[in-house]
Amino acid sequence: MILVTGGAGFIGANFVLDWLGQSDEAVLNVDKLTYAGNLGTLQSLQGNSKHVFARVDICDRAALDALFAEHKPRAVLHFAAESHVDRSIHGPADFVQTNVVGTFTLLEAARQYWNGLPETEKAAFRFLHVSTDEVFGSLSATDPQFSETTPYAPNSPYSATKAGSDHLVRAYHHTYGLPTLTTNCSNNYGPYHFPEKLIPMMITCALAGKPLPVYGDGLNVRDWLYVGDHCAAIREVLARGKPGETYNVGGWNEKTNLDVVHTLCDLLDELSPRQSGSYSEQITFVKDRPGHDRRYAIDARKLERELGWKPAETFETGLRKTVQWYLDNQDWVQNVMTGEYRNWLVKQYAA
Ligand code: NAD
Ligand code: TYD
């Protein structure tokens, strides 16, 4: 089986669902279930013996050791993290704990387990670390896209802790020979995305008749990657990536935030029109995020050249699917609107 951490979060859950949709190999899903973890996303797997869920914190070494010993995974896919930049600005401690200490603890547990494997299994073992393009910092409008050799320059507590985890993974390959793979991807979007992030936040606020809060001038640029394309890239890297290597994963979709929000409003105007007027009338400019990175852009040519992966979705097809999914799954959205999440909205957007 494979061991997936963070498999109740947005990308991890999409990965687990995609994996079990096309493979007979079982998944051990290790997740602490923070505010971002949602077992409701995995409801369709209830009763499926190929999905084993363990509510475990990746900082808990003893629990990890027991899971490795019992389930003997052939690979670890490490998605678990604190992942929201705005939360990292309000409270960085959890980010240091999970992203740095948690990744370190998982690496140590994996290393001990891997050391005890017979030679053929040892050679086949993989530790795939899922990271972000944010570790490379911010680009100007004319800078070339991030490549695998772009120097690290993280600017937020979130990206700094992800950078720390990337360095630990690199060191475990270099020092101990652990067969690691690292992927650095751009902004994902798609089904089951927690509505604190831009795209689900805008869809949710639009349908609720609330303001659509665009930070600053709305001209920050992100590269958008459909989550299903990201999952396919991870499967390729796991199967054929070279240990010790890093791979950038991007959608070739650079958009300003304002472009994204206007496209979302146009789609909602078509698929779920307001009684009168356009959703774009709800767009509101709010105070900018401190240290807000201006532009992220990914050069994903290495992954295409070496492993033959490229995204299947365009931004238009992926976003249409995503909006339709949110319209069809309002009960999922309502279920994640917990008290804790509402408190966050008040803290972040009150001003
Ligand atoms: P998410 O916040 O939606 O989910 C994170 C999951 O990790 C949750 O299920 C949570 O319960 C779990 N978790 C958190 N702390 C844990 C701990 N200490 N022990 C065990 N489980 C814990 O995140 P996501 O958007 O699915 O991101 C997954 C990974 O991809 C992260 O490593 C993130 O840095 C990376 N990434 C995300 C994006 C994006 O656009 N979402 C982009 C680039 C990289
Ligand atoms: P986000 O989804 O938080 O991802 P990240 O910061 O990791 O790129 O934000 C994407 C972009 O959208 C980012 O430039 C911040 C901006 N943004 C808003 O303008 N308003 C919002 O309410 C949110 C959550 C984000």
Side-chain angles (χ1 to χ4, degrees), residues 84-86 134 187 196-198 201-202 213-215 220 222 224 257 289 292 296 349:
H84 189 35
V85 174
D86 293 320
E134 302 192 26
N187 287 57
E196 66 183 352
K197 306 278 171 71
L198 180 73
M201 161 76 82
M202 294 299 165
V214 174
Y215 297 165
N220 301 67
R222 298 292 183 264
W224 292 96
N257 293 337
R289 169 188 284 171
H292 195 174
Y296 303 142
Y349 295 96

Side-chain angles (χ1 to χ4, degrees), residues 5-13 30-38 56-59 78-84 94 97-99 102 129-134 158 162 183-189 192-194 196-197 224-225 230:
T5 70
F10 163 48
I11 305 175
V30 178
D31 197 299
K32 178 182 172 182
L33 295 181
T34 66
Y35 80 92
N38 181 358
V56 162
D57 186 334
I58 56 164
C59 300
H78 178 32
F79 295 88
E82 288 291 340
S83 71
H84 189 35
D94 285 348
Q97 186 61 25
T98 285
N99 299 358
H129 173 59
V130 178
S131 191
T132 169
D133 59 359
E134 302 192 26
Y158 164 65
K162 289 297 289 186
T183 54
N184 293 90
C185 70
S186 55
N187 287 57
N188 283 221
Y189 68 100
Y192 304 113
H193 204 181
F194 197 77
E196 66 183 352
K197 306 278 171 71
W224 292 96
L225 171 66
H230 184 199

Side-chain angles (χ1 to χ4, degrees), residues 12 31 33 55 97 108 131 169 176-177 204 261 329 347-348:
D31 197 299
L33 295 181
R55 185 173 192 180
Q97 186 61 25
E108 278 290 89
S131 191
V169 170
Y176 305 114
T204 309
V261 177
N329 290 276
K347 192 167 165 185
Q348 170 70 3

